[in-house]
Amino acid sequence: DQYNLPLERSINEWTAVVQTETSMQSAGIYLRAKDEDKKLFVDTLQYSIQREGGLGLLLTEIAGGRGDGVGITIIEEVLAGGNAEKSGIVAGDSIVALSISNSNDEDGMDTKEELFGIATECMGYDATIDALTSLPPPISPSDAITITVKRIRKQPKINVKLQYPPYQNEPDVSIELFAGENLRRAMLTS
């Protein structure tokens, strides 16, 4: 994807912040992008992956080692032949949650019941591995795990060409916006 960062840049951009409780978020330690230029954002994505045969993820710790389990662990490589290979997970992602669900199809209604879930955001390498290995074993070959990752991405940009009516004799103006940015505000500051 054109908005994903390469692994080396992701390593340099990840940081952790201590967040006090707000109406939108519980208190805790959360991943953020350093992003001093405000050209990046952190996206949260979920992937469902078969458990039988192994995930095929190589993890590395880029911050931590303090002995309290806190740190930043990212995916260094998605291994060829592993179950995660075609999932959409990419190097540079950080696993923030794991859950195992049981799917039932009763009376034509497909329902999912979460059997086990664990948060792994801002855990060091050892704590992340402990979380992965603490998952109950698969019951059937079709059992899947939902992995929630955070990914640093570039803000999508769009170019807008403003054309004045011919009677105003003004030259066309091109401005660059981040997707979702207020057009009027951008025009006033250009």
Side-chain angles (χ1 to χ4, degrees), residues 72-142:
I72 300 174
T73 301
I74 65 167
I75 296 165
E76 182 178 340
E77 184 180 354
V78 179
L79 301 173
N83 290 339
E85 180 180 22
K86 295 179 181 161
S87 68
I89 293 175
V90 298
D93 288 352
S94 182
I95 300 172
V96 297
L98 305 164
S99 65
I100 298 173
S101 301
N102 184 6
S103 294
N104 293 318
D105 187 9
E106 295 178 14
D107 302 328
M109 298 285 292
D110 188 26
T111 60
K112 262 189 168 183
E113 175 188 9
E114 185 173 303
L115 302 175
F116 185 85
I118 189 165
T120 58
E121 186 165 359
C122 292
M123 285 188 173
Y125 178 85
D126 292 338
T128 302
I129 295 298
D130 288 346
L132 283 163
T133 58
S134 73
L135 297 173
I139 297 169
S140 75
S142 63

Side-chain angles (χ1 to χ4, degrees), residues 105-179:
D105 187 9
E106 295 178 14
D107 302 328
M109 298 285 292
D110 188 26
T111 60
K112 262 189 168 183
E113 175 188 9
E114 185 173 303
L115 302 175
F116 185 85
I118 189 165
T120 58
E121 186 165 359
C122 292
M123 285 188 173
Y125 178 85
D126 292 338
T128 302
I129 295 298
D130 288 346
L132 283 163
T133 58
S134 73
L135 297 173
I139 297 169
S140 75
S142 63
D143 278 0
I145 181 172
T146 300
I147 298 179
T148 304
V149 300
K150 285 194 173 179
R151 177 180 300 162
I152 300 176
R153 304 178 99 179
K154 297 177 208 167
Q155 289 274 10
K157 291 183 184 180
I158 57 172
N159 291 309
V160 178
K161 185 176 184 179
L162 304 173
Q163 295 181 319
Y164 292 93
Y167 66 85
Q168 288 186 338
N169 288 332
E170 293 287 334
D172 295 345
V173 177
S174 292
I175 59 175
E176 186 176 72
L177 302 170
F178 288 117

